[in-house]
Amino acid sequence: YFLRIKDLIDNYQPDLLYTDGGMFYADIGARLVSHHYNVNAKMHGGKVEAVYTSKRRQDCETGACVFDIERGVADGILPHAWQTDTCVGNWHYKRGIKYKTPKTVIDLLCDIVSRNGNLMLNFPLPNNGELDSDELHILDEITKWMAVNSEGIYATRPWKTFGDGPSLVKAPVTNTRFNENNRKDLTAEDVRFTAKGNTVYAFVMGWPGKQASIAALGMGGKYDVPKIRNVELLGHKGKLKWTQDAAGLSVELPEQKPAEYAVAFKVAMG
């Protein structure tokens, strides 16, 4: 095992090393992960830019790796970055499988990133090596959505809360692995947040129509929100009419939505 994975690292220098389980074989696994990081550091002037993920939480408690939750979402903002690995269908290609919809994937992405997570999404390939037409449609829809909204996803960190809305009113999740099947599509009443410096991105998880209301961004309140300086809608070039008071942030929306599925407000804090 050691020689096989070492050969993989030495010949291909992966940015992300992923195994379906924990850090295997005690000290042998630890030596491999150490070698993975050392090889990567040599490639980047002493800075480690590689990641090893483990599905065993205790492996990651010392910072040796990133915790991976298979087909599941953490039940809150975890203190350290984590990852979901999931698939649009089954892990291996099979005809007749019902795939996740683009809406489901976008919901997962926003929900996971808002909780300090990363989404690793698998597209299984048939034997000709090309995505089938249904998979291509899903990928195309994700690509179009990201072209508008990626600013609120990439290089962001969690805000003071990951979200707001009716989807949060539920019993605490005790087993996060494989909990994605229990999810329902998020709606325009659900909001997910990310942050970048003094900017908060509020993803409204459906088109709310003429007006969007975001209670968590009310001035003061339990999140100690300061006075908002400006609000933009990603993908929309015009200015927006908006108001902020203790009850929340209210935004008048343009007639045309800039993206399907979730829409993102870029909120500049005072």
Side-chain angles (χ1 to χ4, degrees):
Y1 178 80
F2 181 90
L3 293 176
R4 283 176 181 267
I5 306 302
K6 183 178 183 297
D7 182 70
L8 169 71
I9 294 167
D10 292 343
N11 282 295
Y12 300 100
Q13 299 87 42
D15 292 319
L16 187 149
L17 186 59
Y18 170 91
T19 51
D20 191 16
M23 196 179 294
F24 296 128
Y25 306 123
D27 64 318
I28 292 176
R31 285 165 54 204
L32 277 172
V33 174
S34 175
H35 183 65
H36 173 50
Y37 293 150
N38 288 335
V39 167
N40 187 267
K42 288 180 181 179
M43 294 174 57
H44 298 98
K47 182 180 179 182
V48 177
E49 296 189 359
V51 175
Y52 174 80
T53 68
S54 171
K55 295 181 180 179
R56 189 165 55 200
R57 187 186 293 264
Q58 55 266 40
D59 289 344
C60 308
E61 290 174 348
T62 60
C65 52
V66 171
F67 182 48
D68 181 281
I69 302 173
E70 182 174 356
R71 288 190 180 270
V73 180
D75 58 357
I77 298 175
L78 298 190
H80 301 291
W82 58 280
Q83 176 175 275
T84 291
D85 67 291
T86 191
C87 184
V88 295
N90 281 1
W91 288 115
H92 302 284
Y93 190 82
K94 185 177 180 181
R95 294 187 184 93
I97 289 295
K98 183 179 180 181
Y99 294 131
K100 288 179 173 65
T101 65
K103 162 71 174 168
T104 297
V105 174
I106 297 300
D107 281 2
L108 273 170
L109 176 64
C110 294
D111 213 3
I112 288 165
V113 174
S114 72
R115 301 170 195 240
N116 205 20
N118 176 71
L119 172 61
M120 183 169 71
L121 182 66
N122 178 56
F123 283 82
L125 298 177
N127 59 9
N128 65 2
E130 293 186 5
L131 301 180
D132 66 30
S133 59
D134 291 333
E135 290 176 305
L136 283 170
H137 170 70
I138 297 168
L139 184 59
D140 183 56
E141 290 294 293
I142 296 170
T143 301
K144 287 189 292 187
W145 187 88
M146 287 295 286
V148 174
N149 298 291
S150 61
E151 178 183 339
I153 297 294
Y154 292 133
T156 59
R157 308 310 305 155
W159 189 52
K160 297 176 182 180
T161 179
F162 67 85
D164 199 4
S167 66
L168 304 187
V169 183
K170 60 183 180 180
V173 177
T174 55
N175 182 15
T176 53
R177 291 187 68 192
F178 304 105
N179 68 11
E180 68 175 23
N181 290 334
N182 300 324
R183 296 172 56 89
K184 294 182 179 179
D185 281 350
L186 301 178
T187 71
E189 296 182 44
D190 296 300
V191 186
R192 294 295 181 266
F193 299 100
T194 63
K196 191 181 295 182
N198 292 325
T199 299
V200 172
Y201 297 90
F203 289 91
V204 177
M205 303 305 297
W207 184 244
K210 295 183 178 181
Q211 180 173 293
S213 298
I214 305 173
L217 294 179
M219 193 179 304
K222 62 180 178 178
Y223 302 119
D224 193 26
V225 177
K227 184 177 181 180
I228 291 172
R229 292 189 292 107
N230 190 43
V231 179
E232 300 174 38
L233 177 62
L234 296 187
H236 174 69
K237 295 183 179 180
K239 290 188 176 181
L240 301 173
K241 293 182 179 180
W242 57 273
T243 58
Q244 181 199 24
D245 55 27
L249 170 67
S250 296
V251 185
E252 293 184 25
L253 298 178
E255 291 186 5
Q256 187 171 0
K257 54 186 176 181
E260 293 295 329
Y261 321 114
V263 293
F265 294 99
K266 181 180 180 179
V267 181
M269 296 294 187

